[in-house]
């Protein structure tokens, strides 16, 4: 069958449309996201995103809390990639105060962040396959993720909304069993990843569902500010870890996986390749992990000098930027949070025009949305 | 036919319904158990009846099997609040689940379960409720009523997701009925060779498979038929009308309590009938192996394995084993592959299966005609 796999609405002239409310309670939105779809039968004419159902005023909270007190808030935005977000806040405060973080702490940050990235991508993988009707991969993904969560729980005490990093380092040194467990996990996980590629990535139904579907070209990414795997799936090798290096990432070897197609399959492949790269980064960081303290000397009250500070990290979903303005007191004057999901979802309205409902949901799944990150 | 006959028929009918219902209930359990094996979980293992655990030695083991889960499920359906939303068309809304459920039970009446030789008279007997001459035609005719249940529920729910599910279902089921029927025709051309009394009875089909099972002589028809049965029973990867993650629940979104239970059990009843028909048409019915019948085994061993009660039990057992295998196959596929997109399903139906089925029919018709000419 050599027919074009993308299908668009061909109807012209007067037609009857109806509005379909996708959400705020819908299995495919993975949270309280609402999208008002104007439908022509099964085809989407127009989509309007109605967000804000889980808005919690994190930015305003930032203006009313100490620099230290705001730290747990950052882990409540992208709850699947909390490590990276707390890293952003810590790094921002360190930059503002001129605190030198001990190298051991920096390496621990890289190890935990990358473990967190893998667990986040695994959740996405499972949830995305559920969107496409494949229920089983989720259980396998969560099985692997469980090992990561156990490892991270051992040193951080929490399983999801970590508050492990501190301004000036990390709160506890890693244990030997954590390091051994991480090595063991990498050893066990590589063959599992191969199995996933064989079982899922090469599945003909999956490829028919994803290849050529939901194209978000680089130009559209630029227009809406989409970053992360969405942008890399459009062929642009942009990764904050390389573009604006932070921590000890410059000392580590890793590639930025890109796929030029810009469709759902490209974004899928980018994330799967990123898991492999993260494993590579963790291996190197484990080998290089230096001895020494894990906490710098930090003043009792963090009081950055007055100024405008900005810090970006590569979250699991893209570029997470915090801009904070200090007026020299213990509380930030203004906190601006730029989260990747918001920009990535902005593409959806334009990208889903004329698509089938099932395709649009595949597109939405491939954006890897975390609604609290979107609404913050 | 006198009153006793009618009573006996009634009793037999009741037994068959009870057996089929039990198979349906336990295939729900099998679905959950098999899915949990596939996904590396335990599955239901907590339901038990009082005092069962007090049986010495094996008691604790019995309580861990979860074999009473269907009772708990059924009880849950019965005792849940039966919500009829205010906006529905009440008559059709209530009628739809009944229509979903009844055809499956009606079709079972013409399914032969086995054959044996009467010890007293030496005549061949069939274990069947009604050996009607139009067997397969009746099954197709009654089973195709099932689509009305989905259309009616989609329409009567007066809600958008069930509506989309209903539209998809009607298109899908009508399309696949064509290929399904066409796939069966070569089988009956073969069975009804010139000179034999023309019949559509399923008993004749099984008798004709004493040597070659039709899956061996007509593999294409078998594959087309099995795929079409998947589509007809709305199982993954063809579960368009339901599409849990894009249409929420499809046609049964608005249903609750036992009305939903009817849809649920109806799906499994349809699966059971589908598995029966596959086993009868292509996999030799109650013949244990290709080229081997119970009669052959009796001749070789000298044991009365095809006579009387023993013969009936063995034949029905063989048939039941095949049906259970195909039920397992249905479940296995569901938890292995993702879902097709709606237009892909239609494309497969019209551009894939239908031409193949037609070509298969033409080729076999010519082939059978040539064979007969050569034979004559």
């Amino acid at each position: 069958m050599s027919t074009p796999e993308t299908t668009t609405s061909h109807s012209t002239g007067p037609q009857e449309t109806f509005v379909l409310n996708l959400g705020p309670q819908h299995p495919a939105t993975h949270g309280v996201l609402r999208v008002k779809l104007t439908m022509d039968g099964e085809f989407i004419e127009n989509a309007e995103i109605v967000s804000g159902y889980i808005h919690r005023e994190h930015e305003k909270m930032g203006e009313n809390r100490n620099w230290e007190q705001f730290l747990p808030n950052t882990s409540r935005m992208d709850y699947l990639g909390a490590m990276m977000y707390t890293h952003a806040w810590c790094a921002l405060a360190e930059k503002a105060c001129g605190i030198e973080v001990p190298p051991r702490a920096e390496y621990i940050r890289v190890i935990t962040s990358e473990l967190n990235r893998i667990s986040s991508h695994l959740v996405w993988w499972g949830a995305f396959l559920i969107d496409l009707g494949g229920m089983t991969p989720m259980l396998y993904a969560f099985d692997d993720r469980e090992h990561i969560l156990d490892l991270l729980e051992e040193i951080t005490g929490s399983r999801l909304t970590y508050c492990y990093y501190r301004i000036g380092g990390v709160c506890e040194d890693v244990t030997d069993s954590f390091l051994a467990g991480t090595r063991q996990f990498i050893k066990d996980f590589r063959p599992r990843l191969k199995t996933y590629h064989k079982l899922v990535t090469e599945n003909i139904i999956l490829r028919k569902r994803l290849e050529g579907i939901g194209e978000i070209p680089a130009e559209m990414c630029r227009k809406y500010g989409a970053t992360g795997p969405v942008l890399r799936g459009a062929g642009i090798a942009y990764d904050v870890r390389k573009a604006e290096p932070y921590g000890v990432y410059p000392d580590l070897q890793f590639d930025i996986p890109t796929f030029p197609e810009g469709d759902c399959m490209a974004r899928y492949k980018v994330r799967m390749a990123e898991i492999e790269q993260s494993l590579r980064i963790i291996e190197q960081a484990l080998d290089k992990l230096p001895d020494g303290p894990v906490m710098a000397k930090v003043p009792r009250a963090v009081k950055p000098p007055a100024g405008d500070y900005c810090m970006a990290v590569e979250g699991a979903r893209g570029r997470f930027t915090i801009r904070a303005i200090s007026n020299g007191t213990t509380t930030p004057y203004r906190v601006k949070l730029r989260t990747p999901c918001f920009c990535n979802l902005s593409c959806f309205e334009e990208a889903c025009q004329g698509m089938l409902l099932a395709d649009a949901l595949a597109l939405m799944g491939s954006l890897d949305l975390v609604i609290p990150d979107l609404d913050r | 036919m006198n009153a006793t006959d009618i009573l006996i028929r009634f009793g037999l009918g009741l037994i068959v319904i009870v057996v089929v219902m039990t198979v349906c209930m336990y295939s729900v359990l099998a679905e959950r158990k098999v899915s949990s094996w596939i996904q590396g979980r335990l599955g239901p293992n907590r339901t038990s009846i009082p005092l069962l655990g007090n049986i010495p030695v094996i008691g604790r083991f019995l309580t861990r099997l979860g074999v009473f889960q269907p009772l708990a499920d059924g009880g849950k359906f019965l005792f849940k609040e039966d919500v009829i939303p205010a906006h529905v068309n009440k008559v059709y809304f209530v009628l739809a689940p009944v229509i979903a459920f009844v055809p499956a039970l009606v079709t079972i009446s013409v399914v032969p379960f086995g054959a044996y030789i009467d010890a007293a008279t030496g005549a061949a007997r069939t274990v069947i409720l009604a050996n009607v001459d139009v067997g397969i035609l009746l099954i197709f005719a009654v089973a195709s009523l099932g689509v009305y249940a989905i259309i009616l529920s989609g329409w009567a729910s007066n809600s958008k997701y069930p509506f989309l599910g209903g539209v998809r279902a009607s298109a899908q089921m009508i399309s696949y009925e064509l290929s399904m029927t066409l796939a069966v025709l070569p089988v009956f051309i073969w069975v009804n060779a010139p000179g034999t009394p023309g019949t559509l009875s399923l008993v004749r089909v099984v008798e004709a498979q004493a040597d070659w099972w039709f899956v061996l002589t007509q593999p294409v028809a078998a594959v087309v038929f099995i795929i079409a049965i998947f589509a007809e029973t709305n199982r993954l990867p063809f579960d368009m009308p339901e599409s849990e993650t894009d249409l929420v629940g499809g046609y049964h979104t608005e249903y609750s309590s036992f009305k939903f239970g009817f849809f649920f059990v109806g799906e499994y009843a349809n699966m059971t009938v589908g598995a029966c028909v596959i086993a009868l048409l292509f996999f030799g019915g109650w013949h244990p192996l290709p080229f081997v019948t119970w009669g052959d085994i009796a001749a070789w061993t000298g044991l009365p394995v095809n006579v009387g009660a023993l013969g009936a039990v063995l034949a029905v057992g063989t048939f039941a084993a095949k049906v259970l295998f195909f039920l397992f196959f249905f479940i296995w596929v569901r938890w292995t592959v993702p879902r097709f997109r709606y237009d892909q399903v239609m494309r497969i139906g019209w551009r894939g299966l239908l031409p193949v089925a037609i070509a298969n029919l033409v080729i076999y018709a010519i082939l059978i005609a040539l064979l007969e000419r050569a034979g004559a």
Side-chain angles (χ1 to χ4, degrees):
Chain A
M1 288 183 288
S2 61
T3 46
E5 284 303 317
T6 43
T7 314
T8 45
S9 173
H10 300 297
S11 60
T12 49
Q15 52 189 257
E16 242 183 287
T17 58
F18 64 96
V19 175
L20 186 71
N21 246 321
L22 195 75
Q25 300 290 334
H26 188 282
T29 55
H30 302 298
V32 280
L33 170 69
R34 178 176 167 213
V35 184
K36 275 166 80 181
L37 299 170
T38 310
M39 306 280 296
D40 172 21
E42 289 253 355
F43 294 98
I44 292 170
E45 289 241 308
N46 196 20
E48 187 192 330
I49 292 157
V50 187
S51 65
Y53 281 85
I54 192 163
H55 193 72
R56 289 149 303 164
E57 293 284 7
H58 275 306
E59 292 181 0
K60 191 69 190 167
M61 273 193 255
E63 294 167 23
N64 291 290
R65 294 183 173 202
N66 287 349
W67 289 83
E68 301 95 325
Q69 279 175 334
F70 187 63
L71 185 57
N73 280 53
T74 51
S75 68
R76 266 76 177 170
M77 280 177 272
D78 181 354
Y79 52 80
L80 293 176
M83 285 284 189
M84 283 81 96
Y85 278 39
T86 48
H87 195 172
W89 183 251
C90 292
L92 178 97
E94 286 152 9
K95 200 159 91 177
C97 300
I99 298 168
E100 194 68 37
V101 182
R104 186 175 173 85
E106 287 285 22
Y107 274 95
I108 292 171
R109 282 182 181 180
V110 166
I111 295 169
T112 47
S113 278
E114 295 306 319
L115 277 175
N116 197 199
R117 190 186 311 277
I118 295 172
S119 78
S120 167
H121 281 351
L122 284 173
V123 173
W124 160 81
W125 186 67
F128 185 45
L129 264 294
I130 282 190
D131 285 350
L132 299 172
M135 304 286 168
T136 302
M138 193 271 270
L139 273 297
Y140 283 79
F142 271 53
D143 189 13
D144 291 325
R145 177 175 175 258
E146 200 63 22
H147 293 296
I148 300 179
L149 295 192
D150 286 344
L151 286 172
L152 291 178
E153 187 184 9
E154 189 184 325
I155 53 165
T156 67
S158 48
R159 291 170 67 82
L160 201 64
T161 49
Y162 312 103
C163 193
Y164 176 57
Y165 302 166
R166 292 286 189 276
I167 297 171
V170 294
C171 82
E172 293 274 348
D173 200 351
V174 290
T175 56
D176 287 339
S177 66
F178 168 81
L179 296 175
T182 311
R183 281 187 195 281
Q184 187 60 38
F185 169 76
I186 295 172
K187 208 171 139 229
D188 296 342
F189 184 57
R190 282 229 164 92
R192 299 262 300 195
L193 203 58
K194 261 192 205 120
T195 317
Y196 298 160
H197 278 300
K198 271 192 204 136
L199 281 177
V200 180
T201 314
E202 291 167 18
N203 183 302
I204 182 70
I205 302 179
L206 184 90
R207 284 174 47 205
K208 291 268 177 205
R209 284 296 306 273
L210 297 183
E211 281 173 1
I213 302 299
E215 275 186 41
I216 300 181
E219 176 55 26
M220 202 194 286
C221 291
R222 191 195 59 76
K223 204 158 91 184
Y224 292 102
T227 48
V230 179
L231 182 60
R232 292 194 283 275
I236 310 287
Y238 176 80
D239 188 317
V240 181
R241 289 173 293 177
K242 289 267 192 197
E244 300 163 43
Y246 56 95
V248 287
Y249 280 109
D251 301 342
L252 302 166
Q253 298 286 317
F254 61 98
D255 303 326
I256 308 175
T258 56
F259 290 87
E261 297 87 5
D263 54 2
C264 292
M265 197 63 188
R267 292 189 282 279
Y268 175 96
K269 284 180 183 162
V270 163
R271 289 203 181 85
M272 295 309 267
E274 272 183 30
I275 293 178
E276 277 161 36
Q277 292 302 323
S278 290
L279 290 174
R280 209 176 132 196
I281 294 171
I282 297 168
E283 266 181 340
Q284 294 173 44
L286 284 173
D287 290 339
K288 288 186 175 178
L289 185 66
D291 288 328
V294 292
M295 195 69 192
K297 267 196 91 66
V298 180
R300 264 193 104 71
V302 178
K303 240 193 259 182
D308 191 345
Y309 305 102
C310 191
M311 179 70 207
V313 294
E314 182 70 23
R317 280 149 199 82
R319 183 193 166 100
F320 173 60
T321 315
I322 303 179
R323 183 181 173 200
I325 299 172
S326 170
N327 54 4
T329 62
T330 53
T331 315
Y333 171 73
R334 171 83 172 93
V335 176
K336 164 80 182 117
L337 304 164
R338 184 260 185 224
T339 53
C341 279
F342 188 80
C343 300
N344 292 357
L345 181 65
S346 309
C347 299
F348 180 78
E349 285 192 9
E350 190 176 325
C352 77
Q353 304 275 332
M355 273 172 108
L356 278 166
L357 177 63
D359 279 345
L361 293 175
L363 166 62
M364 193 186 272
S366 76
L367 294 175
D368 191 10
L369 299 175
V370 164
I371 310 304
D373 179 59
L374 173 81
D375 284 343
R376 61 200 178 273
Chain B
M1 195 180 261
N2 56 32
T4 335
D5 267 355
I6 293 172
L7 266 180
I8 288 173
R9 289 276 168 199
F10 188 76
L12 286 176
L14 212 62
I15 290 171
V16 168
I17 286 179
V18 168
V19 168
V20 171
M21 287 297 291
T22 315
V23 169
C24 291
M25 280 168 78
Y26 277 90
S27 50
V28 179
L29 178 67
E31 177 101 60
R32 298 174 65 174
K33 276 287 186 188
V34 172
S35 71
S36 56
W37 293 337
I38 291 175
Q39 298 172 342
R41 296 184 283 122
L42 288 175
N45 63 352
R46 286 289 182 276
T47 44
S48 160
I49 49 172
L51 301 179
L52 187 73
N54 294 348
I55 300 171
V57 190
I58 54 165
R60 274 186 61 78
F61 172 68
L62 289 179
T63 58
R64 286 285 175 266
L65 285 179
V67 284
F68 299 101
Q69 188 69 37
L71 296 177
D73 285 347
K76 184 194 76 176
F77 279 138
L78 271 178
F79 291 116
K80 272 195 154 184
E81 188 190 355
D82 188 6
V83 181
I84 299 182
H87 54 74
V88 301
N89 182 328
K90 275 214 185 79
V91 178
Y92 296 143
F93 190 80
V94 176
L95 197 62
V98 180
I99 298 181
F101 188 63
V102 170
L105 289 185
V106 172
T107 46
I108 212 78
S109 63
V110 295
V111 170
F113 300 106
Y116 62 101
I117 292 168
D118 198 321
T121 59
R125 289 283 185 83
T126 314
V127 187
I128 189 170
L129 273 184
N131 190 1
V132 290
D133 208 26
V134 289
I136 190 73
L137 206 59
L138 186 82
I139 288 183
F140 283 162
V142 177
S144 67
L145 290 176
V147 69
Y148 287 102
I150 294 176
I151 298 174
L152 272 184
S153 58
W155 183 256
S157 294
N158 192 13
S159 166
K160 284 160 192 167
Y161 289 109
F163 164 70
L164 281 175
V167 171
R168 286 181 182 188
S170 48
Q172 177 189 330
M173 291 179 86
I174 289 167
S175 323
Y176 276 83
E177 246 158 45
L178 279 175
S179 352
M180 184 169 77
T181 322
L182 285 173
V184 170
L185 279 180
V187 170
F188 283 91
I189 297 178
W190 181 255
V191 172
N192 294 307
T196 56
T199 178
L200 290 174
S201 159
L202 285 164
V203 182
R204 262 303 286 140
V205 175
V206 176
E207 282 165 4
Q209 293 182 78
D211 291 335
W212 289 86
W213 287 6
F214 286 134
V215 68
L216 301 173
T217 52
Q218 307 186 358
V220 179
V223 169
V224 169
F225 187 76
I226 290 173
I227 294 175
I229 284 280
F230 268 92
E232 283 293 303
T233 49
N234 299 325
R235 295 285 296 185
L236 260 168
F238 298 104
D239 68 335
M240 292 309 114
E242 216 176 304
S243 301
E244 204 180 319
T245 37
D246 57 284
L247 296 186
V248 189
Y251 59 92
H252 59 54
T253 305
E254 302 283 348
Y255 284 87
S256 55
S257 181
F258 214 66
K259 291 201 189 66
F260 172 74
F262 265 130
F263 278 119
F264 197 63
V265 179
E267 184 187 323
Y268 287 92
N270 278 324
M271 263 168 66
T272 312
V273 174
C276 286
V277 177
I278 294 173
L280 288 171
L281 287 180
F282 295 102
F283 288 86
W286 48 85
H287 298 320
L289 287 168
F291 310 107
V292 179
T293 63
W294 285 112
D296 295 338
I297 294 176
W300 297 336
T301 59
L303 298 171
V305 287
N306 62 338
V307 181
L310 178 66
V313 168
L314 283 176
V316 174
T318 315
F319 179 62
K322 287 179 188 174
V323 171
L324 292 181
F325 170 77
F326 283 109
L327 282 175
F328 171 75
F329 183 66
F330 275 114
I331 295 168
W332 183 14
V333 170
R334 171 170 178 190
W335 298 102
T336 306
V337 294
R339 182 188 300 121
F340 280 114
R341 204 174 56 210
Y342 168 61
D343 65 301
Q344 288 171 339
V345 168
M346 299 306 281
R347 192 174 292 139
I348 293 167
W350 287 104
R351 293 198 200 159
L353 288 190
L354 189 63
V356 170
I358 292 174
N360 181 56
L361 171 63
V362 172
I363 290 168
Y364 270 95
I366 294 170
L367 211 69
I368 290 166
L370 287 177
L371 275 178
E372 267 155 13
R373 192 148 301 174

